[in-house]
Amino acid sequence: MEGLVFTLFFILGIILGSFFNVVGLRMPQNISSVHGHSSCPSCKKQLQWYELIPILSYVFQRGKCTHCHYSLSPIYPFIEFTTGCLFTYSYVHIGLTPTLLPTLLLISFLMIVVVTDITYMIIPNKLLLFFLPLFVCIRIIYPLEPFYDAVLGAVVGFLLIALIIIISRGGMGAGDMKLFGVIGIMLGLQYVLLSFFIAVCVGGLIGAYLLIGKKKERKSQVPFGPFLVLGTMISYFYGDVLITLYVSFMM
Ligand SMILES: [Zn+2]
């Protein structure tokens, strides 16, 4: 029985993950995500039903369009698989409790952010404005302790990135700033600081690796959104463990 529920959450995750790819690819171009068939980004050939099966279609087509052999971005199967894993993990970690739905909503938001930020280096206002009221409602129904922690998290998240933008003169964008403000509502003050710390550490390591490997010029931009997303997920699920560890380490 348990195995069946795991599988259902995984399948739900990969199907929605596939939808998040479509939303993330179309929203910045102002194309409807609900209408219109999916097509190859290069030759525009409409995809057949079997080319729309999450993950499997990518594997069987060996990552290429069957018509023009255009290499499809590995971001699509990555998002599908990651969403499947995160949905399953949420169920394992949280169980069928009232906070499961807010968690799945947060994951959905973050996955679309990864798609738009990696593909276009932007986080659309439309996306932020769609999830902002949802997260505010969630924090009214399920307040953090103390209740104003969500406001603190949002303000500090926003200001932290604003500070980085001023210091680094554009190392991060206004999109990251607004994103982290929205994330702050869900995380609260402590976890927002923790996720920022994780994002900067991981982002710094990968940035250094790319610079040393000469894979990127110093001036070329690496989207920072995915690192904020990673930090958010880690502190959302493991924040209490990490902070307890940190405190016991400092004592
Ligand atoms: Zn094609």
Side-chain angles (χ1 to χ4, degrees):
M1 185 59 200
E2 194 76 330
L4 181 69
V5 183
F6 283 0
T7 316
L8 282 177
F9 269 91
F10 187 73
I11 292 173
L12 176 71
I14 56 174
I15 291 172
L16 285 177
S18 164
F19 176 65
F20 301 155
N21 279 324
V22 175
V23 174
L25 286 171
R26 294 187 182 182
M27 189 183 269
Q29 300 184 313
N30 286 321
I31 307 172
S32 161
S33 302
V34 189
H35 301 288
H37 285 279
S38 291
S39 57
C40 165
S42 175
C43 68
K44 307 292 175 206
K45 182 183 172 285
Q46 265 193 19
L47 300 182
Q48 302 297 315
W49 64 269
Y50 54 84
E51 292 171 304
L52 293 169
I53 303 168
I55 304 175
L56 292 180
S57 61
Y58 186 87
V59 175
F60 289 134
Q61 291 169 233
R62 298 203 184 85
K64 288 188 167 68
C65 168
T66 45
H67 191 237
C68 70
H69 301 289
Y70 171 80
S71 286
L72 300 164
S73 168
I75 181 88
Y76 310 127
F78 171 78
I79 291 290
E80 288 158 358
F81 184 71
T82 309
T83 312
C85 292
L86 286 173
F87 270 38
T88 313
Y89 185 72
S90 302
Y91 167 69
V92 174
H93 195 79
I94 299 170
L96 289 174
T97 62
T99 46
L100 182 60
L101 187 63
T103 306
L104 299 184
L105 272 173
L106 178 65
I107 293 168
S108 307
F109 169 61
L110 297 178
M111 289 298 110
I112 303 171
V113 165
V114 172
V115 177
T116 64
D117 206 18
I118 290 184
T119 314
Y120 304 105
M121 298 273 290
I122 51 171
I123 300 162
N125 284 330
K126 241 195 275 179
L127 178 65
L128 296 166
L129 287 173
F130 180 83
F131 280 93
L132 176 68
L134 288 177
F135 292 160
V136 170
C137 289
I138 288 171
R139 281 296 166 244
I140 291 171
I141 302 169
Y142 307 106
L144 294 170
E145 188 64 43
F147 73 90
Y148 54 80
D149 197 30
V151 181
L152 280 181
V155 172
V156 171
F158 187 87
L159 291 180
L160 256 178
I161 308 284
L163 192 70
I164 299 284
I165 293 174
I166 295 167
I167 295 171
S168 69
R169 290 188 205 140
M172 286 181 204
D176 297 319
M177 179 173 74
K178 288 176 273 184
L179 166 68
F180 214 39
V182 174
I183 286 175
I185 299 170
M186 288 299 283
L187 290 185
L189 180 59
Q190 265 195 331
Y191 289 4
V192 118
L193 293 173
L194 177 65
S195 64
F196 179 74
F197 178 73
I198 296 168
V200 169
C201 288
V202 178
L205 279 176
I206 292 185
Y209 167 77
L210 292 176
L211 270 181
I212 292 166
K214 295 261 164 37
K215 289 188 166 64
K216 290 267 178 192
E217 295 295 315
R218 182 172 281 275
K219 273 187 184 152
S220 73
Q221 283 197 321
V222 177
F224 194 65
F227 299 112
L228 290 174
V229 167
L230 179 71
T232 301
M233 281 285 86
I234 294 175
S235 47
Y236 188 82
F237 285 117
Y238 297 108
D240 48 350
V241 182
L242 288 174
I243 289 173
T244 314
L245 259 177
Y246 177 77
V247 171
S248 64
F249 191 70
M250 297 311 274
M251 289 296 179

